[in-house]
Amino acid sequence: MMSPQSDPRPADSARQAGAVLLLQGGFLVYAGMALLRLEPSPTPPLPTLLALYGAAAFLLGLNALTQSRFPSVIARALARAASWLDTREDRALLLLQAPLLSLIAWLAAGDGLLMPSPWLAVSAWGLALASLLLGGLEFRRVLPVRMERKEALILGAILLFALLTRIWQLGQIPWVLAGDEASMGLSAVELIEGTWNNVFGVSWFSFPALYFTLPALSIRAFGQTVFGLRLPSVVAGVLTVGATYLYARNTFGRRAAILGAGYLAAFHFHIHFSRIGLNNIWDGIFFATVGAALWRAWTTDRRAAYLIAGVALGLGLYFYTSTRALVVMSGIWWLIAALRQPAEVRKRIRNLSLMVFAGVVVVLPLGLFYLSHPDHFAAPLRRVAVLGPWLENEIVITGLPAWRILLDQFKTSALAFTSVDLRHWYAIDHPMLFPLAASLFFLGLLRSLTRILDPRYLWLLLWLTAAIAAGALSESTPAAQRYVLVAPCIALLVALPLDEAAERLLSPWPERRRVVHAGLAVLLAALIWTDLSFYFGDYTPSRRFSDRNTEVAQRLAESLQGSEAGQRVYFVGAPRMGFYSISTLPYLAPDVEGLDLDEDQLVELEESPPETAIFVFLPEHLETLEQIRERFPRGHLREVFGKDAELLFITYELRNF
């Protein structure tokens, strides 16, 4: 219940609520009128209803400000809403108006590439989030833990270490810009250039478009470079380490938080994906934040914890597809809590409703877009799902029943942490964890299974299960990029046995604290050294993050950087690759005009010889190279070799012909 200090007198309460209604009503009138002027007008009755409702709210607010009271019917309704929400009337109004603001954002955004009213869409959605936070949070109680200066310094050191391991030589490690990274970069460039701006729809590969604002901001600041594209992933990686610390500190204590976040800061797997310009690195922030908020909600029943969980759930859905698992995980977590302690959950129904309400408000514009375009909702899953043609094909190839193939998929996915080599975006000829970390992970997993009904460990196990399912139900198991969401959980499962061992040792020998903590420091240092020496000393020099065509695109793009705008490049590489088949080239060499040379263009060149041009030939097209040299004998020839000293391509450059 509210404290006496936070419960204003009736007249003051009416004026505060009136001020909120006045501002909200004015904005709703403006939004309704603006929506009516759009071409085409979105769902015509809605803008009119919004404007009428806004006018009524404005008049009620004005009356409350001048008369210090509401009409009795309105006053009773407001009082009931505030009582049910256990808050003040002005805050109740802020919460109740949030979905209307989010609806306005959807109406103003439309479902095309360009929003009919970008300013209205973005501002309405921002106001919806602000209404949730201002209406539901008591800001003095938001932080889940209070830190002493020493602990804050330790956390700062961990975050600085995480930043250094992720940003050092970011443009060179990994050594090539992958095609999917560059495709995301090109989509961000299109946002900068105004080709599209609907951040409440989808962009490249049907991924939610809001994410692309992050690389767009970075590219605008640092240029169309590898560093500019990858920097948001560095930020996400560091923030994930911080979120993991706060999650562990809130649920398992300070020592577990230091060990878990310290290991995650150096975890080779997480470092790698913190250096790649993809959207899946953001997953860990949302999983850790929701986990921390749910535990805080369970132990304190404070509204702020539920609200933060709801907002994080909604925001997560604007990023990588695997964050959808958070909705299922949260539901299972609360269902198990309800089965074990139904009376406790019943007491929390009001705040649980607020959590769901907040999540719906945040994701409403994207959710309504998906309702109109269900194909975009399903596309990221359909591309890689094993249920469907892939499974049917495997049944034919192997002769095994479907259940057996799926069982093998889950087995392989579960062993990716300790026994089966990772594939695709991080093919390292090794499982995710090295022997010491794998042993600790196994102990942490066993201990968690023995405490499965403890909500803290239940969340870790649900988290791990979600990652295993994501890997198993996707092709190419275990594809490394589908386990990024679980990296913080893995780090904590590695840390928890160390934390518990220290606790057991310190219980009979508290005077040995320094010795025990020194031992923990040595073990943590061994874990850190193993991972860092592998990633920067073994994996990075081996240049395994690539295929031959991507290497061609990278080296050619580097050689073309600095070319004059409009420089024409004739590329001879079919059928293996074309100039635009890998987005690395157009992203890193945006001023170049690439043309895939064919027979018709050869004839055109003979009829109209260019003054300047660059010809690029893959090694299997040397005959075409000789034809061009015979026709244009005064060019400059250059051979470019790859990491294994094999010929990548040959350039033949004409100048002032």
Side-chain angles (χ1 to χ4, degrees):
M1 296 298 291
M2 294 178 294
S3 63
Q5 292 83 356
S6 64
D7 189 11
R9 292 173 296 178
D12 292 338
S13 177
R15 283 194 292 268
Q16 290 173 357
V20 171
L21 270 179
L22 190 72
L23 293 173
Q24 289 177 340
F27 184 81
L28 290 175
V29 170
Y30 165 78
M33 301 302 288
L35 290 171
L36 283 171
R37 296 183 62 184
L38 297 182
E39 293 292 341
S41 178
T43 318
L46 288 178
T48 302
L49 292 174
L50 284 170
L52 292 174
Y53 176 78
F58 183 88
L59 293 175
L60 279 173
L62 185 62
N63 180 73
L65 281 175
T66 56
Q67 302 297 323
S68 299
R69 62 184 177 83
F70 285 103
S72 58
V73 175
I74 302 298
R76 285 195 297 270
L78 271 177
R80 282 196 296 268
S83 175
W84 193 85
L85 290 169
D86 191 21
T87 190
R88 300 193 322 234
E89 292 178 357
D90 56 328
R91 290 188 171 187
L93 282 171
L94 285 168
L95 291 172
L96 295 174
Q97 294 286 359
L100 280 180
L101 294 168
S102 199
L103 178 65
I104 291 170
W106 171 66
L107 291 171
D111 63 358
L113 290 176
L114 295 173
M115 294 188 281
S117 182
W119 183 90
L120 179 58
V122 173
S123 62
W125 190 68
L127 287 172
L129 268 64
S131 295
L132 284 175
L133 298 177
L134 292 172
L137 291 184
E138 297 176 45
F139 288 94
R140 292 172 297 176
R141 301 180 179 181
V142 170
L143 287 178
V145 293
R146 292 183 179 180
M147 290 187 188
E148 298 175 353
R149 183 172 180 271
K150 180 180 178 181
E151 184 180 1
L153 289 174
I154 291 173
L155 175 57
I158 292 173
L159 294 177
L160 178 61
F161 178 58
L163 175 63
L164 293 176
T165 57
R166 286 155 176 78
I167 204 169
W168 180 67
Q169 292 192 353
L170 181 62
Q172 291 76 45
I173 304 173
W175 70 291
V176 294
L177 182 70
D180 283 0
E181 288 184 271
S183 293
M184 286 199 157
L186 288 174
S187 188
V189 171
E190 289 175 350
L191 174 58
I192 295 171
E193 295 175 345
T195 304
W196 65 271
N197 66 10
N198 191 349
V199 296
F200 300 112
V202 296
S203 186
W204 178 76
F205 244 35
S206 292
F207 287 125
L210 185 66
Y211 160 77
F212 292 89
T213 61
L214 300 173
L217 290 171
S218 181
I219 290 169
R220 182 182 285 275
F222 297 98
Q224 198 165 323
T225 61
V226 177
F227 181 90
L229 174 55
R230 289 176 172 173
L231 184 60
S233 294
V234 172
V235 174
V238 175
L239 290 177
T240 302
V241 172
T244 302
Y245 184 94
L246 293 177
Y247 165 73
R249 178 68 172 84
N250 196 34
T251 52
F252 299 104
R254 182 171 63 182
R255 184 170 52 231
I258 293 172
L259 292 168
Y263 177 61
L264 183 62
F267 188 15
H268 67 96
F269 177 82
H270 197 255
I271 288 174
H272 179 70
F273 284 97
S274 299
R275 289 175 159 270
I276 298 175
L278 300 179
N279 52 354
N280 56 354
I281 187 59
W282 292 85
D283 285 1
I285 298 172
F286 298 108
F287 280 83
T289 301
V290 172
L294 290 182
W295 175 248
R296 185 76 167 170
W298 181 252
T299 54
T300 67
D301 199 28
R302 286 181 177 169
R303 184 187 302 112
Y306 294 89
L307 192 64
I308 290 171
V311 170
L313 280 168
L315 279 177
L317 296 174
Y318 285 93
F319 285 77
Y320 193 56
T321 312
S322 55
T323 52
R324 297 175 188 177
L326 271 173
V327 178
V328 179
M329 287 169 56
S330 301
I332 294 173
W333 194 86
W334 279 110
L335 177 62
I336 293 175
L339 293 173
R340 292 186 64 238
Q341 301 183 51
E344 287 296 318
V345 174
R346 279 197 297 270
K347 289 194 306 185
R348 291 165 165 79
I349 289 297
R350 175 172 51 198
N351 283 332
L352 271 172
S353 301
L354 179 62
M355 183 183 81
V356 175
F357 175 81
V360 170
V361 167
V362 173
V363 80
L364 186 62
L366 179 62
L368 292 173
F369 175 87
Y370 280 145
L371 283 177
S372 301
H373 303 278
D375 52 324
H376 282 302
F377 178 80
L381 299 175
R382 190 185 298 119
R383 283 194 300 266
V384 299
V386 300
L387 300 177
W390 183 91
L391 183 58
E392 295 169 2
N393 190 50
E394 286 296 302
I395 292 172
V396 172
I397 293 173
T398 64
L400 297 173
W403 70 266
R404 175 63 185 277
I405 295 171
L406 290 176
L407 183 63
D408 289 342
Q409 282 283 108
F410 273 89
K411 178 183 175 182
T412 302
S413 183
L415 293 176
F417 308 109
T418 58
S419 306
V420 176
D421 295 349
L422 295 174
R423 302 173 64 182
H424 282 275
W425 278 87
Y426 193 38
I428 56 175
D429 300 325
H430 198 282
M432 187 182 298
L433 297 169
F434 295 108
L436 176 58
S439 302
L440 291 169
F441 165 78
F442 186 68
L443 293 174
L445 178 59
L446 286 178
R447 192 57 177 153
S448 299
L449 288 169
T450 63
R451 301 176 179 179
I452 190 172
L453 294 181
D454 184 326
R456 298 174 300 167
Y457 294 92
L458 175 62
W459 185 256
L460 289 178
L461 293 171
L462 289 172
W463 196 345
L464 186 65
T465 302
I468 293 172
L473 296 176
S474 305
E475 295 180 12
S476 308
T477 307
Q481 66 272 22
R482 302 196 182 110
Y483 299 89
V484 179
L485 68 97
V486 82
C489 175
I490 299 299
L492 289 176
L493 288 172
V494 169
L496 287 177
L498 296 177
D499 176 60
E500 186 163 346
E503 189 65 31
R504 290 181 178 274
L505 289 172
L506 289 173
S507 181
W509 300 304
E511 70 280 2
R512 302 290 178 86
R513 180 173 297 275
R514 290 188 176 181
V515 175
V516 170
H517 285 174
L520 289 180
V522 170
L523 286 172
L524 181 60
L527 290 167
I528 289 173
W529 173 253
T530 300
D531 280 45
L532 290 183
S533 61
F534 168 76
Y535 190 76
F536 293 107
D538 182 358
Y539 177 77
T540 296
S542 72
R543 296 188 171 187
R544 279 175 275 180
F545 182 73
S546 172
D547 59 27
R548 179 56 56 86
N549 289 350
T550 305
E551 187 178 2
V552 168
Q554 177 81 22
R555 294 297 303 276
L556 179 56
E558 291 171 351
S559 69
L560 294 175
Q561 286 175 348
S563 298
E564 295 180 1
Q567 172 66 65
R568 179 164 289 189
V569 176
Y570 294 95
F571 188 82
V572 187
R576 176 150 69 94
M577 66 178 290
F579 188 89
Y580 291 101
S581 64
I582 296 177
S583 296
T584 305
L585 259 171
Y587 176 79
L588 291 178
D591 295 328
V592 171
E593 179 188 357
L595 294 170
D596 291 314
L597 192 63
D598 56 25
E599 293 296 330
D600 292 338
Q601 288 169 339
L602 277 172
V603 173
E604 181 181 334
L605 285 173
E606 292 179 357
E607 294 175 351
S608 179
E611 293 185 357
T612 64
I614 299 174
F615 295 88
V616 180
F617 304 88
L618 296 188
E620 58 265 36
H621 292 285
L622 297 183
E623 291 183 4
T624 308
L625 168 61
E626 293 306 317
Q627 293 178 34
I628 294 296
R629 292 185 69 184
E630 289 177 7
R631 179 66 184 86
F632 308 105
R634 292 190 295 168
H636 175 69
L637 190 72
R638 184 168 69 96
E639 296 179 329
V640 178
F641 294 88
K643 63 175 183 177
D644 52 7
E646 291 188 11
L647 181 64
L648 287 179
F649 58 87
I650 302 168
T651 64
Y652 189 66
E653 185 172 359
L654 307 180
R655 290 292 181 190
N656 296 324
F657 227 82

